[in-house]
Amino acid sequence: MKINEQRLKTRMDKMNKVAVTEDGGMMRLALSDADKEARDLLKGWMEEAGMDVKIDDMGTMYGYLSGSDKNSIPICTGSHVDTQPNGGKYDGLFGIMAALEAVCTLKDEGIVTKSPLVVINWTNEEGARFVPPLLASGVVSGKYESEWVYGIKDKDGISYVDELKRIGYLGSRENRLKNAKFYFEPHIEQGPILDAEGYEFGIVTGALGIVGLDVNIKGEANQAGPTPMIHRKDALVAAADVMLNIRKHIISYGNPVVITTGMLTVSPGTKNIIPGEVNFSIDMRHHEDTGLTALEKEVRVIIESVCNEYDVPVKIERYWRMDPVHFDERVIESVAKAANKLGLKSKEIVSGAGHDAVYISSIIPTGMLFVPSIDGRSHCPQENTKWEDIVTGTEALTEVLVELDK
């Protein structure tokens, strides 16, 4: 089955004209005006394809296409349209557009699956505006309570629920995904492995677990000139030493374990005052549940040890944990069959990123496919994937949906 490449490209190009940054990146933060514009486009295309569009109480969109068996539970596929503040053109969007195009292709070919097909656009996958990520899929999977999510505020003090209402996407709890035969998510790799090793396609077997920590170190702000080095309690120096020590420790683990500090704020933040307070984030990832737990303990010990050495108090709070997962073997097998049928050079791979599929896998049999990311760039304007890989990934998804329907 060949997809309609022109239709797919036209829709992706139109979506990627919504909220373009000066650097050529994307700025569709969750529940923003740009997100609403993207949602409205998607809703129109779903309806054009003959789908019944429903919105749940988290703002997640579901486009239903009926199957031949009225008693069959649905097969779901999709991803998200929200982006990072200066994100790329394919993260999330490829999954949504591929899902929509796959369903449209089946309809064009006159193929009616027994199970209903549902294209899903999850709300706030990125977590760039409302922290933590994966909020909508987290509620559906039972990880979070809806009232807690409703009360989460962005940096400007605006709540999740108020923005849902403002953009007109506060739907009904009754529309939440409750049961499905399978959930499947196509995605770009967001890493360098497939591209660097010359693979056209990734058969995703699972995903790394993630722990996110917020760290606050309090030193003593003081005048830069009159304060001798031995009398200083420099919060920034302590934080820098913490980061370097943790980095050395993590490197000793080898792949695929990784750690990142992506946010750092220094107070009072002037050139001639010793930093009195520092806040920074730690994102650590491990492929095993016990390993992730042990890693968090080790990182906490390093932070406390270094801060004791500098005689500065520290506060550590965990803001997120997502356990490692292994996807459903039946789905993995279906992806492998699709790759073989299309003659794609493929590789089994573990996702290093968090996805809605990870949470949904706890309640529904789930899987993913990856298409390569050029040079492994993602969450930035330089994010890119070859068009032929977008096409073959979408065609593979179409085959997967048919296989799963069997």
Side-chain angles (χ1 to χ4, degrees):
M1 288 177 288
K2 294 294 182 182
I3 66 166
N4 186 328
E5 288 188 40
Q6 188 57 54
R7 178 173 58 198
L8 177 62
K9 189 173 190 308
T10 298
R11 287 174 173 174
M12 291 190 76
D13 288 348
K14 191 166 186 177
M15 192 71 85
N16 278 325
K17 290 178 181 176
V18 177
V20 183
T21 67
E22 290 183 2
D23 298 329
M26 299 292 106
M27 187 75 171
R28 296 190 299 268
L29 297 183
L31 308 183
S32 63
D33 290 339
D35 188 24
K36 172 180 167 51
E37 186 176 348
R39 286 164 172 267
D40 290 346
L41 280 174
L42 180 60
K43 185 173 183 288
W45 292 329
M46 286 177 169
E47 291 173 342
E48 183 181 314
M51 295 181 177
D52 179 21
V53 181
K54 298 181 180 180
I55 314 296
D56 74 11
D57 55 332
M58 292 293 104
T60 296
M61 302 171 63
Y62 306 87
Y64 283 81
L65 187 69
S66 298
S68 61
D69 184 353
K70 294 182 180 179
N71 296 318
S72 180
I73 58 176
I75 295 171
C76 303
T77 180
S79 191
H80 60 98
V81 299
D82 69 312
T83 72
Q84 290 289 327
N86 194 22
K89 294 181 173 66
Y90 299 101
D91 174 16
L93 187 63
F94 163 64
I96 282 290
M97 293 291 96
L100 179 61
E101 179 56 37
V103 172
C104 288
T105 295
L106 291 174
K107 189 175 180 183
D108 291 346
E109 294 290 331
I111 297 173
V112 180
T113 54
K114 290 182 293 184
S115 298
L117 297 178
V118 184
V119 176
I120 303 179
N121 172 39
W122 299 102
T123 304
N124 196 72
E125 191 274 353
E126 292 291 358
R129 184 180 183 192
F130 299 101
V131 180
L134 313 177
L135 287 178
S137 58
V139 169
V140 166
S141 61
K143 305 293 183 184
Y144 306 129
E145 294 293 332
S146 58
E147 291 305 317
W148 177 75
V149 173
Y150 281 165
I152 295 175
K153 296 181 179 180
D154 67 7
K155 61 181 179 63
D156 296 317
I158 304 172
S159 73
Y160 185 104
V161 69
D162 285 344
E163 286 295 85
L164 267 184
K165 292 175 182 176
R166 185 184 68 82
I167 69 169
Y169 275 88
L170 176 59
S172 170
R173 183 188 179 104
E174 290 301 311
N175 291 335
R176 283 188 200 174
L177 179 65
K178 301 177 182 66
N179 194 13
K181 191 175 181 181
F182 296 103
Y183 172 71
F184 191 79
E185 187 168 333
H187 214 280
I188 61 170
E189 181 195 351
Q190 299 183 274
I193 296 172
L194 296 177
D195 185 53
E197 297 182 7
Y199 289 97
E200 301 168 289
F201 190 79
I203 302 166
V204 187
T205 58
L208 298 181
I210 306 172
V211 166
L213 301 178
D214 284 324
V215 183
N216 171 267
I217 297 176
K218 287 191 176 179
E220 291 180 358
N222 216 335
Q223 231 278 11
T227 311
M229 299 300 288
I230 60 171
H231 290 286
R232 298 184 178 209
K233 292 186 178 180
D234 190 322
L236 182 56
V237 171
D241 206 352
V242 163
M243 294 175 205
L244 289 174
N245 272 276
I246 291 175
R247 176 181 169 82
K248 290 176 184 176
H249 183 73
I250 295 296
I251 287 175
S252 69
Y253 270 77
N255 290 331
V257 182
V258 291
I259 197 159
T260 303
T261 293
M263 294 184 67
L264 174 71
T265 58
V266 181
S267 178
T270 60
K271 293 181 179 180
N272 60 354
I273 298 179
I274 299 164
E277 185 173 2
V278 170
N279 292 281
F280 61 96
S281 63
I282 295 178
D283 177 305
M284 65 191 85
R285 310 193 181 201
H286 199 290
H287 54 294
E288 296 176 348
D289 185 68
T290 55
L292 185 62
T293 298
L295 180 60
E296 180 182 358
K297 290 180 180 177
E298 292 163 10
V299 166
R300 286 175 178 268
V301 168
I302 291 171
I303 296 170
E304 290 168 355
S305 175
V306 171
C307 288
N308 284 337
E309 180 183 337
Y310 284 91
D311 193 24
V312 290
V314 62
K315 183 178 180 182
I316 308 168
E317 292 186 352
R318 182 207 285 176
Y319 67 86
W320 189 38
R321 174 174 172 129
M322 183 179 74
D323 295 335
V325 301
H326 186 82
F327 290 137
D328 188 88
E329 290 293 344
R330 294 166 296 174
V331 184
I332 294 171
E333 184 180 346
S334 296
V335 180
K337 283 183 179 180
N340 290 335
K341 186 173 183 179
L342 294 173
L344 300 175
K345 185 181 179 183
S346 61
K347 175 186 178 70
E348 288 194 350
I349 187 170
V350 175
S351 174
H355 302 283
D356 294 300
V358 175
Y359 276 165
I360 297 305
S361 68
S362 67
I363 59 170
I364 295 168
T366 295
M368 297 184 70
L369 67 77
F370 278 167
V371 293
S373 295
I374 297 174
D375 295 329
R377 301 295 299 274
S378 185
H379 281 185
C380 60
Q382 293 76 26
E383 178 182 278
N384 200 7
T385 292
K386 295 176 183 176
W387 177 248
E388 54 263 38
D389 291 334
I390 295 290
V391 172
T392 56
T394 306
E395 290 178 346
L397 170 61
T398 309
E399 298 291 344
V400 168
L401 294 178
V402 172
E403 183 67 26
L404 292 178
D405 189 52
K406 299 177 182 178

